[in-house]
């Protein structure tokens, strides 16, 4: 017999490798004859390449090749769209034509023996441009409807707003933010005839294989992608970006393996970003705090060549009860590279606007912000007219408020102080979808009583290695140290994208099913024992099971989301305008928690990310030319040790969801980021009496 | 990003450096290397000695992922040219454990779950060892202040501080060390 492993706070099974430097990230693989690539990037935001002179670079020491649109092989670029790719538009083609659509677009690739030689030779490539007018300032961009237009309406929102006893309307702005994982994107490409091996930083190995196969016009089975450890990504490694194509192209031309690791600055020009959003929210309510109307419009930046959209306004339709709701989502095409999903995509931005507006409404009505939300707690998803598979918002408000000590709050702004510091308490609601996608897994029991379990999933940090091992060991009925889980290789059974908090639900369900089948097979053949180890000893040869696990129709019958509540205490220096977050308490109804130790890490990590979003993060785009003027860690501020609140508290409320997926899990990676920024800005209002509607809340905005 | 380097600067850099022979002392072993003189200590470790535990997160001394110990002090290896640290005693994350016996801070990182993706971890641990050895692990706030040059984008900060406190308690501060 074995004890339950799912739900236990087990330390990471890959921990020893990570603390000893033995975990191998993609740029660290060795390939015989490896050479280095460096990318030359456009210095204009729109126009044509007038000339390229690569003669000096060609003659520089160590240089093997300089590729430009003039001499690069023509690539197939067959149609292919993976789940993270925008549905409308066509991905950027690299080194295929003289057009430049954005600042930082690759215009040449230098391959050289040594890293220093490649970087130096790239400086010697002289490019001139015939520039054209560019739109790089969102204030000058023209928002247009999505294809097809995205507008929802229920009831009579305009009439209800006009008739409301209390109404407010405000605009909320979130600037562009970059994911900035500490590991920079990197790819090693190595050809063997028509077969390609890529060691690539990615959240989805199979999609990299599919995309690069489409780009090069070769069968996907010819492309092997290996990515065992991912040094953070937060969405930046969902798509297959142009530098992956460049590494493969360079390797083909050089006839040797090529490594490209982007510089930190390049991370702001080719791996996506959270788009700048401008949101208009109008709320109408009765004096006793019943929402009568919500109008929520959102505009966001995208590139000229793809329509990137995220679920910016989705939660507006079901987060709070309201009979009259209108949402309208538009895009502003600009001369930028295509944005992408960044942690908590859509909800983190949209809920900043809605939960800020709810706080403004609470102030206008003189109703406690928690009480206002409780008065508008819906009984079902009013947008889709479906029951929630489970929804624990009430429990989250109660648990977090109690832990936080919310009942001691004086609702008057500027009423709470600690010495000369202004103290503010604020809160916000959080939600994120609980999705699931088809996934496959293999489980192989061995005669020695160990097991190998595999799926081509990723682990960018949440703990896939560990949580899958827990699910596998418990299901097989083996001690955890006898089970070895493998991921991150296209030779393993296909997994879905590692994003959107779907990995545990999708891959976990597949692992569970494969392990169940392997165990049942082993016991059926094991001569009557109920001990799988004994059964395997008797069978004397491996017992293997592979399972393709697919969701049923539950998402058609239920509205499935995780919900949470975030409570924050800030201290604002009245003379310096500096905001410090002192305490955060988050309560989450996220279904079953497979590993509370690792889930807590995810949640406090999301809180830290939310502090960055609220107080620091802003990719400053020079509106004249599209350059990011702070494309480094010294000037793009992210939270550091000193910014971490002394008190961070995570509560997982008990939640059993029998509908959402076989494991009953919802995932916490995204929701952990949602609601933190509005809770902070709401606390800042409480501390200072100043409502800041444009992030980040830097000191200048409070002085 | 090469496209952004001013022309004059690029031309000034257009020298043809001769490779340098040098000896690096890393984790108690001497390594003879022939390197491009522009090679940083970090790239020498990662690209030439294949000691990839030290991580590159910015190459500008801004993230701390490349932190190693040099003659007992924590330094950012991306800001040191390999040619200038010949003869110095360099310790990387690979040299921290005693055989199979993890350093107390390595063990505390696992126990406290002081990392997620693991990419900043080597630097956090090397900086944490220096933080303890140099006597700056007296309180959580002091640790936060001294560790603020090591970024963690996964946001494991409170667990890292707890791990450093645990290890400081286990090893004791060696003030002035």
């Amino acid at each position: 017999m074995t004890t339950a492993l799912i739900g236990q706070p087990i330390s990471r099974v890959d921990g020893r490798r990570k603390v000893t430097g033995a975990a191998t990230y993609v740029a660290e693989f060795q390939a015989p004859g490896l050479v280095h690539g460096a990318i030359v990037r456009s210095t204009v935001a729109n126009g044509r390449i007038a000339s390229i002179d690569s003669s000096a670079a060609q003659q520089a020491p160590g240089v093997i090749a300089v590729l430009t649109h003039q001499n690069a092989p023509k690539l197939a670029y067959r149609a292919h769209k993976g789940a993270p790719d925008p549905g409308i538009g066509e991905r950027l083609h690299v080194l295929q034509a003289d057009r430049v659509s954005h600042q930082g677009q690759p215009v040449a690739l230098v391959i050289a023996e040594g890293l220093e030689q490649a970087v130096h030779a790239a400086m010697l490539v002289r490019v001139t441009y015939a520039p054209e007018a560019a739109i790089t300032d969102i204030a000058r961009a023209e928002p247009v409807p999505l294809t097809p237009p995205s507008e929802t309406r229920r009831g009579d929102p305009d009439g209800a707003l006009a008739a409301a006893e209390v109404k407010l309307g405000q605009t909320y702005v979130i600037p562009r933010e970059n994911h900035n994982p500490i590991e920079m994107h990197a790819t090693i490409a190595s050809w063997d005839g028509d077969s390609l091996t890529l060691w690539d930083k990615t959240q989805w190995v199979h999609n990299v294989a599919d995309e690069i196969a489409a780009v090069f016009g070769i069968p996907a089975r010819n492309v092997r992608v290996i990515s065992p450890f991912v040094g953070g990504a937060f969405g930046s490694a969902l798509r297959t970006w142009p530098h992956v194509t460049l590494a493969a192209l360079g390797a083909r031309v050089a006839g040797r393996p090529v490594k490209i690791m982007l510089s930190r600055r390049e991370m702001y020009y080719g791996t996506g970003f959270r788009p700048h959003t401008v949101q208009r929210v109008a709320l109408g309510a009765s004096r006793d705090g019943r929402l009568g109307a919500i109008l929520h419009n959102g505009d966001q930046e995208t590139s000229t060549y793809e329509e990137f959209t995220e679920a910016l306004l989705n939660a507006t339709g079901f987060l709070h009860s309201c009979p009259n709701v209108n949402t309208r989502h538009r895009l502003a095409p600009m001369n930028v590279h295509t944005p992408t999903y960044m942690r908590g995509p859509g909800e983190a931005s949209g809920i900043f606007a809605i939960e800020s507006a709810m706080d403004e409404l609470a102030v206008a009505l003189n109703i406690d912000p928690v009480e206002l939300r409780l008065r508008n707690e819906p009984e079902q998803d009013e947008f889709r007219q479906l029951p929630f598979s489970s929804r624990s918002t009430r429990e989250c408000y109660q648990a977090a408020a109690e832990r936080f000590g919310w009942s001691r709050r004086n609702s008057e702004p500027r009423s709470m102080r600690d010495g000369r510091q202004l103290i503010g308490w604020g809160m916000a609601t959080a939600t994120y979808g609980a999705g699931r996608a088809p996934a496959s897994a293999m489980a192989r029991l061995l005669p020695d009583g160990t097991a190998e379990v595999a799926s081509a999933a990723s682990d960018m940090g949440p703990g896939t290695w560990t949580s899958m091992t827990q699910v596998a060991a418990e299901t097989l009925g083996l001690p955890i140290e006898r089970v070895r889980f493998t991921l991150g290789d296209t030779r393993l059974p296909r997994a879905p994208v590692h994003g959107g908090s779907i990995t545990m639900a999708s891959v976990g369900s597949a692992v569970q099913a494969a392990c169940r089948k392997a165990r049942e097979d082993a016991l059926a053949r094991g001569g009557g024992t109920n001990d799988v180890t004994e059964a395997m000893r008797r069978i004397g040869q491996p017992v293997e099971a592979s399972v393709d696990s697919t969701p049923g129709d539950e998402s058609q019958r239920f509205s499935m989301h995780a919900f949470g509540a975030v409570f924050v205490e800030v201290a604002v220096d009245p003379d310096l305008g500096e905001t410090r977050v002192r305490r955060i308490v988050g309560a989450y109804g996220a279904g079953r928690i497979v590993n509370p130790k690792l889930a807590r890490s995810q949640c406090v990590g999301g809180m830290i990310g939310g502090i960055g979003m609220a107080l620091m993060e802003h990719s400053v785009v020079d509106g004249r030319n599209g350059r990011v003027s702070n494309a480094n860690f010294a000037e793009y501020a992210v939270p550091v040790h000193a910014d971490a609140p002394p008190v961070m508290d995570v509560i997982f409320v008990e939640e059993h969801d029998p509908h959402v997926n076989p494991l009953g899990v919802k995932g916490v990676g995204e929701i952990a980021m949602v609601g933190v920024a509005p809770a902070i800005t709401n606390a800042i209002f409480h501390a200072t009496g100043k409502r800041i509607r444009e992030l980040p809340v830097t000191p200048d905005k409070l002085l | 990003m090469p496209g952004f380097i001013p022309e004059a600067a690029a031309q000034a850099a257009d020298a043809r450096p001769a490779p340098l022979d040098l000896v690096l002392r890393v984790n108690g072993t001497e390594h003879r290397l022939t390197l491009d003189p522009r090679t940083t200590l970090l790239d020498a470790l990662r690209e030439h000695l294949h000691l990839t535990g030290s991580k590159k997160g910015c190459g500008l001394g801004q993230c701390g992922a490349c932190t190693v110990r040099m003659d007992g002090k924590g330094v950012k290896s991306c800001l040191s040219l390999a040619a200038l640290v010949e003869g110095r005693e360099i310790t990387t994350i690979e040299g921290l454990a005693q055989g199979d016996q993890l350093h107390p801070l390595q063990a505390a990182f696992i126990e406290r779950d002081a990392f997620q993706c693991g990419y900043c971890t080597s630097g956090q641990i090397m900086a944490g060892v220096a933080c303890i050895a140099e006597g700056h692990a007296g309180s959580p706030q002091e640790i936060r202040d001294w560790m603020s040059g090591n970024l963690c984008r996964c946001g494991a900060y409170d667990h890292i501080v707890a791990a450093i406190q645990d290890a400081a308690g286990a090893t004791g501060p060696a003030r002035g060390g």
Side-chain angles (χ1 to χ4, degrees):
Chain A
M1 276 306 292
T2 52
T3 53
L5 292 166
I6 299 174
Q8 296 304 307
I10 290 163
S11 294
R12 286 173 200 264
V13 298
D14 51 332
R16 191 178 180 95
R17 277 180 284 177
K18 284 180 174 172
V19 302
T20 56
T24 307
Y25 298 79
V26 293
E28 299 160 1
F29 282 84
Q30 309 302 328
L34 181 81
V35 293
H36 296 266
I39 300 169
V40 182
R41 292 176 182 268
S42 156
T43 56
V44 301
N46 193 25
R48 269 189 327 102
I49 297 167
S51 71
I52 297 187
D53 176 4
S54 56
S55 56
Q58 302 265 16
Q59 289 157 24
V63 171
I64 296 164
V66 181
L67 295 179
T68 70
H69 72 280
Q70 294 164 337
N71 67 349
K74 292 302 157 206
L75 296 172
Y77 275 106
R78 289 196 312 233
H80 169 252
K81 285 188 187 299
D85 298 321
I88 304 295
E90 173 61 18
R91 79 275 227 209
L92 188 74
H93 296 195
V94 281
L95 307 189
Q96 302 294 295
D98 62 358
R99 285 299 316 177
V100 167
S101 76
H102 59 273
Q103 182 76 235
Q105 180 176 324
V107 295
L109 173 70
V110 175
I111 307 294
E113 296 280 347
L115 172 62
E116 297 77 16
Q117 291 170 326
V119 171
H120 176 233
M123 295 179 198
L124 303 176
V125 177
R126 302 264 75 85
V127 186
T128 63
Y129 301 89
E132 296 165 23
I135 299 172
T136 52
D137 181 353
I138 196 165
R140 293 190 196 162
E142 276 293 319
V144 296
L146 278 61
T147 311
S150 175
E151 179 158 6
T152 71
R153 184 178 297 271
R154 71 169 179 262
D156 174 18
D158 298 296
L161 182 68
E165 292 173 343
V166 179
K167 61 192 95 175
L168 60 86
Q170 293 293 350
T171 299
Y172 303 89
V173 178
I174 303 171
R176 181 189 297 188
E177 298 166 3
N178 277 82
H179 308 72
N180 274 314
I182 303 296
E183 180 197 31
M184 297 174 295
H185 278 250
T187 306
I188 297 173
S190 178
W191 289 90
D192 179 5
D194 275 343
S195 293
L196 173 66
T197 301
L198 294 169
W199 291 265
D200 183 46
K201 177 189 177 97
T202 178
Q203 293 168 245
W204 195 6
V205 288
H206 275 99
N207 193 54
V208 175
D210 291 348
E211 168 68 2
I212 294 301
V215 170
F216 283 82
I218 58 177
R221 65 175 178 276
N222 286 17
V223 184
R224 182 181 182 191
V225 181
I226 299 168
S227 190
F229 288 95
V230 178
F234 316 105
S236 69
L238 291 166
R239 296 192 72 185
T240 308
W241 298 107
H243 68 269
V244 184
T245 298
L246 288 174
L249 191 63
R252 171 152 270 187
V253 170
R256 292 167 66 178
V258 166
K259 170 155 70 179
I260 294 176
M261 183 179 229
L262 302 187
S263 68
R264 180 54 57 184
R265 179 184 279 192
E266 287 182 283
M267 295 283 287
Y268 293 76
Y269 290 100
T271 57
F273 50 89
R274 191 194 300 281
H276 187 130
T277 51
V278 179
Q279 300 178 69
R280 177 85 185 163
V281 178
L283 299 181
S286 61
R287 289 203 193 283
D288 66 351
R290 309 276 167 191
L291 281 170
I294 303 175
L295 290 86
H296 188 179
N297 296 340
D299 296 340
Q300 64 178 66
E301 64 180 325
T302 190
S303 65
T304 56
Y305 52 94
E306 286 174 311
E307 287 191 13
F308 171 74
T309 64
E310 55 185 10
L312 183 66
L313 310 177
N314 286 23
T316 305
F318 65 81
L319 189 61
H320 303 301
S321 178
C322 182
N324 306 293
V325 178
N326 170 228
T327 66
R328 188 193 66 191
H329 192 176
R330 297 185 304 177
L331 295 175
M334 294 169 49
N335 291 102
V336 300
H337 81 281
T338 307
T340 196
Y341 305 103
M342 180 166 156
R343 195 171 192 180
E347 276 82 350
S349 298
I351 283 179
F352 167 68
I354 282 293
E355 289 299 285
S356 296
M358 285 294 281
D359 200 66
E360 299 202 47
L361 183 63
V363 171
L365 296 168
N366 196 23
I367 296 176
D368 179 85
V370 177
E371 176 59 27
L372 177 65
R373 287 163 175 82
L374 288 171
R375 287 187 195 177
N376 293 284
E377 178 69 10
E379 294 307 315
Q380 64 161 1
D381 180 334
E382 295 176 0
F383 176 66
R384 296 181 65 204
Q385 299 287 314
L386 288 175
F388 292 109
S389 62
S390 57
R391 172 169 167 139
S392 304
T393 30
R394 285 191 187 89
E395 292 81 357
C396 290
Y397 295 138
Q398 187 181 356
E402 192 175 308
R403 186 77 60 88
F404 189 85
W406 184 257
S407 63
R408 298 192 304 275
R409 180 177 185 260
N410 181 336
S411 65
E412 190 64 30
R414 299 182 73 91
S415 63
M416 296 170 69
R417 285 177 184 261
D418 179 2
R420 45 187 288 282
Q421 302 281 321
L422 299 168
I423 303 299
W425 289 4
M427 59 79 59
T429 313
T431 188
Y432 198 84
R436 181 184 169 198
S440 302
M442 180 282 298
R444 182 187 297 124
L445 281 160
L446 300 173
D448 66 358
T450 65
E452 298 166 351
V453 179
S455 180
S458 299
D459 188 348
M460 62 175 155
T464 314
W465 289 98
T466 307
S467 55
M468 296 305 159
T469 308
Q470 286 176 258
V471 170
E474 176 172 316
T475 309
L476 289 167
L478 291 176
I480 193 163
E481 61 276 7
R482 297 236 202 114
V483 176
R484 193 166 65 92
F485 178 71
T486 314
L487 53 68
D489 188 330
T490 47
R491 291 197 173 164
L492 305 176
R494 187 173 181 117
V497 63
H498 179 46
S501 293
I502 68 166
T503 297
M504 199 68 237
S506 311
V507 182
S509 296
V511 164
Q512 185 187 45
C515 290
R516 187 173 288 150
K517 187 159 184 290
R519 178 183 164 87
E520 285 168 1
D521 290 355
L523 293 181
R525 293 164 55 192
T529 176
N530 200 34
D531 178 344
V532 75
T533 306
E534 173 60 19
M536 287 309 301
R537 196 186 61 74
R538 292 181 193 172
I539 294 166
Q541 54 186 319
V543 172
E544 184 175 316
S546 291
V547 167
D548 302 321
S549 170
T550 53
D553 66 350
E554 60 274 4
S555 67
Q556 303 305 310
R557 295 184 290 119
F558 294 98
S559 176
M560 307 194 297
H561 309 267
F563 291 91
V566 185
F567 287 67
V568 166
E569 174 179 319
V570 299
V572 179
D573 186 307
D575 299 318
L576 301 176
E578 184 196 37
T579 302
R580 311 286 301 174
V581 178
R582 290 187 170 191
R583 289 195 292 147
I584 302 190
V585 178
Y588 305 95
R592 191 179 193 186
I593 301 299
V594 171
N595 186 325
K597 183 173 189 167
L598 275 52
R600 181 188 194 276
S601 291
Q602 274 190 283
C603 289
V604 297
M607 291 170 178
I608 294 290
I611 290 172
M613 182 179 185
L615 301 179
M616 301 167 197
E617 297 190 35
H618 178 188
S619 304
V620 181
V621 180
D622 185 331
R624 297 168 302 176
N625 53 28
R627 287 188 195 176
V628 179
S629 58
N630 61 341
N632 61 74
F633 274 140
E635 294 166 285
Y636 181 103
V638 299
V640 303
H641 273 282
D643 298 307
V647 177
M648 304 182 81
D649 221 332
V650 176
I651 302 163
F652 297 114
V653 304
E654 194 75 17
E655 187 178 81
H656 299 282
D657 191 325
H659 309 296
V660 67
N661 52 59
L663 283 167
V665 299
K666 291 182 173 177
V668 296
E670 320 290 337
I671 194 174
M673 180 86 192
V674 179
V676 180
I680 291 172
T681 53
N682 293 343
I684 290 172
F685 172 80
H686 183 236
T688 65
K690 289 184 183 169
R691 180 68 64 180
I692 308 301
R693 302 183 183 91
E694 180 165 3
L695 299 181
V697 189
T698 42
D700 52 295
K701 291 177 180 157
L702 291 173
L703 292 175
Chain B
M1 195 153 111
F4 291 152
I5 302 297
E7 194 160 345
Q11 281 174 353
D14 185 17
R16 304 212 165 194
L20 283 178
D21 293 323
L22 59 110
V23 177
L24 288 183
R25 292 178 58 82
V26 183
N27 301 330
T29 305
E30 291 198 346
H31 301 271
R32 291 183 185 285
L33 292 165
T34 302
L35 295 178
D36 187 309
R38 297 166 294 195
T39 307
T40 64
L41 173 57
L42 176 61
D43 288 327
L45 293 170
R46 286 173 63 81
E47 303 293 338
H48 298 274
L49 297 178
H50 305 314
L51 290 169
T52 56
S54 304
K55 303 302 183 190
K56 184 185 277 190
C58 68
L60 300 168
Q62 297 169 345
C63 77
C66 66
T67 304
V68 300
R69 299 189 82 200
M70 193 188 297
D71 296 336
K73 300 204 74 159
V75 300
K76 290 169 179 173
S77 61
C78 76
L79 293 184
S80 300
L81 288 170
L84 297 180
V85 298
E86 216 178 353
R88 311 287 289 273
E89 195 65 55
I90 294 151
T91 307
T92 70
I93 190 74
E94 290 93 344
L96 197 58
Q98 302 286 327
D100 282 346
Q101 183 71 36
L102 294 179
H103 184 280
L105 188 55
Q106 291 174 308
F109 261 61
I110 296 174
E111 179 58 31
R112 289 286 189 171
D113 203 38
F115 51 88
Q116 293 183 48
C117 78
Y119 199 76
C120 75
T121 307
S122 303
Q124 300 280 358
I125 290 174
M126 297 310 287
V129 169
C131 178
I132 295 168
E134 293 167 21
H136 301 302
S139 71
Q141 191 54 48
E142 188 182 15
I143 294 169
R144 284 189 198 100
D145 290 343
W146 282 87
M147 291 295 292
S148 281
N150 287 80
L151 305 181
C152 171
R153 192 62 166 151
C154 299
Y157 293 130
D158 68 331
H159 295 180
I160 295 170
V161 170
I164 292 174
Q165 281 189 283
D166 289 353
T171 57
R175 288 193 181 274

